[in-house]
Amino acid sequence: MNKYLIFFSFFILSVSFCGSAQNDNKFIASFTGGIYINNEQAWILEPAISLHFNKYFGVGMGMEFTCQYNQPVRTTVIDNHEAALVDNERNVGWIIFKPHAIFKSPAIWKSSDNYLRLWLQAEPGVSLACPFRNSLTYEIMQFEGTVSHPIGYMVSHPIGYRRFPNKGLQWFYWNAKVSADFAIDRFIIEAGYGLSNLDYYSGRRNITLANGQKFYVPKKELSQSVFISLGYSF
């Protein structure tokens, strides 16, 4: 399956490169914001550029930045001490390169002067994903009464932190978007729904902690998102 997805991504890149030499092509730069509606709480930001060969077909490239937020403290026991996942690693995050094809419907509504236009759009593509981290770092704590401090701060200890690496990272996925697009002259407002087999927890799915237990992550499921986008045609 992966070899066909890789071929598709190279096809999109090749078509985009060859098509850019044509003078009648239209470029659209866009910026998308959204959220994943599963995989717990996560935001999406995605700048993208697309090349439209005609009013029904094009190719595009996006760079998605996504990260969870408001994740709780995760604790474990290391060397008979309580340890907490460091603050800047509580939230899962990814950078995802997304070449894709673009299929546009004929206008389902437009003004008489073509200044306002409404159509539907589908964007199948692939995701080349890199997690912010492919490991976890725990800070070993020392308690004085009810107050805790990093153990390296309280006593002379050679290891105040412990890193646990992940195995079996998956980085290649498919994605698809469907949207309704409304153009006001050169400006384009888009709202839609996205679906992908992105494993949001692949960067920590196979981490074994010091107590021999695996770090808990939710089971695999298709990633679903909703988004809005603002674009400009030039």
Side-chain angles (χ1 to χ4, degrees):
M1 182 65 177
N2 276 358
K3 66 181 180 180
Y4 296 110
L5 293 176
I6 292 172
F7 173 79
F8 177 78
S9 65
F10 278 107
F11 169 76
I12 294 298
L13 294 173
S14 300
V15 170
S16 178
F17 176 78
C18 294
S20 63
Q22 304 296 322
N23 293 328
D24 57 349
N25 292 329
K26 182 187 295 184
F27 285 94
I28 296 177
S30 63
F31 189 83
T32 297
I35 58 172
Y36 281 101
I37 55 179
N38 56 350
N39 292 321
E40 299 178 343
Q41 299 171 306
W43 51 259
I44 299 169
L45 296 176
E46 182 183 338
I49 189 165
S50 57
L51 174 63
H52 295 253
F53 307 117
N54 56 55
K55 57 184 178 180
Y56 300 122
F57 176 71
V59 293
M61 300 181 196
M63 184 67 74
E64 177 182 324
F65 300 88
T66 175
C67 188
Q68 293 180 327
Y69 55 95
N70 292 336
Q71 294 302 299
V73 177
R74 301 289 293 272
T75 61
T76 187
V77 175
I78 300 174
D79 298 337
N80 296 318
H81 290 278
E82 183 174 322
L85 187 62
V86 296
D87 291 345
N88 64 353
E89 296 186 15
R90 290 185 191 177
N91 300 306
V92 179
W94 291 85
I95 301 173
I96 308 173
F97 177 64
K98 301 169 69 175
H100 55 274
I102 300 170
F103 300 96
K104 302 168 63 177
S105 74
I108 57 178
W109 179 86
K110 61 181 179 180
S111 60
S112 58
D113 58 1
N114 213 39
Y115 188 79
L116 305 176
R117 304 175 304 281
L118 177 66
W119 68 91
L120 301 178
Q121 188 162 296
E123 300 178 18
V126 295
S127 298
L128 311 176
C130 177
F132 288 174
R133 296 172 187 85
N134 193 35
S135 63
L136 292 177
T137 304
Y138 274 83
E139 185 175 39
I140 304 173
M141 310 301 292
Q142 173 82 21
F143 278 86
E144 283 192 344
T146 59
V147 179
S148 64
H149 300 280
I151 196 168
Y153 172 81
M154 293 299 300
V155 297
S156 177
H157 197 283
I159 301 177
Y161 295 88
R162 187 75 58 84
R163 178 178 173 272
F164 299 95
N166 182 57
K167 298 179 180 179
L169 174 69
Q170 297 180 19
W171 58 273
F172 206 96
Y173 303 94
W174 58 261
N175 68 77
K177 293 180 181 179
V178 291
S179 62
D181 293 57
F182 183 69
I184 307 173
D185 193 19
R186 290 179 176 270
F187 290 95
I188 301 170
I189 302 170
E190 181 180 80
Y193 167 82
L195 186 68
S196 172
N197 69 333
L198 171 69
D199 179 6
Y200 212 89
Y201 303 97
S202 182
R204 52 179 63 180
R205 185 167 295 282
N206 296 303
I207 291 178
T208 301
L209 300 176
N211 59 6
Q213 295 182 344
K214 276 194 171 184
F215 183 85
Y216 170 78
V217 294
K219 65 179 182 179
K220 291 183 182 179
E221 59 181 334
L222 293 178
S223 293
Q224 303 177 64
S225 61
V226 292
F227 62 89
I228 57 174
S229 174
L230 178 63
Y232 183 78
S233 173
F234 58 95

